[in-house]
Amino acid sequence: MTIQSLQTIFTLDKNTFTAFLVADDSLELTKNLTPADVVAFDEKLWEAGNLTRHYTRSEQYLFVGLGKGAEVTVEKVRKALHAAFNEANSQKVESVQVVLYIPAGNADLEYYALALGEMPVLSNYEFNSYKSEVKAPKTVKNVHVLTNIPNAESLLQIGKDTAEFTCIARDLVNEPPNVLTPVTLAERAEALSKANGVRAEIWDKKQIEAKQMGGLLAVNRGSQTEPRFIILEYKPDNHTNDKPIVLVGKGITFDTGGLSLKPTPGSMDSMKSDMAGAAAVICAINAVAKAKLSRHVIALIPSTDNRPGEDAYTPNDVIKMMSGNTVEVLNTDAEGRMILADALHYAKELNPALVIDLATLTGAAVIAVGTIASALMTNTDEKTKSQLTQAGLLTHERLVELPLWDEYDELIKSDIADMKNIGGRYAGSITAGKFLQRFTGYPWAHIDIAGPAFLESADNYRGKNGTGVGVRLLFDFIRNYQ
Ligand code: BES
Ligand code: ZN
Ligand code: ZN
């Protein structure tokens, strides 16, 4: 169900399902807004994680405990809102009132308001495109918010829009690989961009050949489907950055591993998600455009599937990349770095202020940081790094930094070419990062989203499967960028 109306209100309607998010310091307020004798207003009501229901035929009050006011965080509020919308959906409710009081002066005030906009959308998400019948569809479609947060109305809309783009990224990831190919990914990116005022340029195989993108072409050799190179640009007249922010997303629409075939069951099962980086940057630039942020942003997406077809690129091949450098292929499953290298090299032509790439690049990143964070590797100054990390904390799309020390570069030296495409058993995420770094030459941040991009089981408001990770992170970073 899509959210049809979302707005702030100043008084509660007593016939509408109402969710109170209650901390110890908002108990009094909650009492005042609730008919006397509805529930006992004791400690239990505001205890963290506690759900208190008071449903009669005409009154539906739900109290969600936030714990001690001083310990409330934006993420706790997101989770409480998810619990509230879940309950509303299971009660088949269409209209929900939400009451949230945050003490004025809280440093993250605007993020609470954004969360109020995000959550009805993120909570309602389902991917039902291929089901003949949906058993219990979500029902919530109107959300009214009573809050003391100033300017909440416009922040609600921004939160809602960003969440909707997050859900589009989820859809792109969840689409099966026989539907979402490089060709249809490009078509969808173009259609979405047209609707939001983003310029789209799509290169087909001929144009990719003309550009001598050897890495992308090598990975594409085992495939029956043409590759695409997608360029999206948002450049409003009032942009404040004279050099663009360039986003790069890995767009492997399916990763079989190629001739270095992945084992199955297991490793290959979720590899339709190997274009989650592409989905994130496509949706992030469109979110930036929809919000009319005054930033010049460009997104680059190299896209192909990775298959072991007849003419597939082969271990021991030496590939000449767009940059002119040569790569000895020792594992065709390390294909993400091959296609990203050409995109990162091409980015030099755009004279970027900063390039951020998002990629489901290594299984090692999942081992290192799990599914609750992404691995960040960067050569940028401390200021940019801390702005990225901060955006990660506030959106709860968190980043853990791994180093790019010189010594790691030794691990990708090749006997016969400029480098090899794998670095051995150790430090797998970092050697992938070091490989990419060789194709940069500007401020750059690499974010390995292999863990959080796709979940085998639901984790709260991050449902099962595609999560859309990266959209809210990039949007928040770009919104605060100067
Ligand atoms: N797409 C995979 C990485 C991946 C693994 C993403 C698990 C999400 C979940 C990538 O192309 C890959 O196969 N990487 C190899 C690199 C290795 C051959 C050096 C890996 O991580 O095993
Ligand atoms: Zn692979
Ligand atoms: Zn891959």
Side-chain angles (χ1 to χ4, degrees), residues 250 252 255-257 260 262 267 270-271 273-274 306 330-337 359-366 421-424 428-429 431-432 448-451 453-454:
K250 174 177 173 182
I252 295 289
D255 184 8
T256 66
S260 314
K262 285 180 183 294
S267 306
S270 60
M271 280 302 132
S273 67
D274 215 14
N306 183 25
L330 286 173
N331 190 322
T332 61
D333 199 8
E335 83 299 337
R337 65 198 76 181
T360 47
L361 202 60
T362 63
V366 196
N421 81 331
I422 54 169
S429 300
T431 49
D448 192 332
I449 58 171
F454 193 88

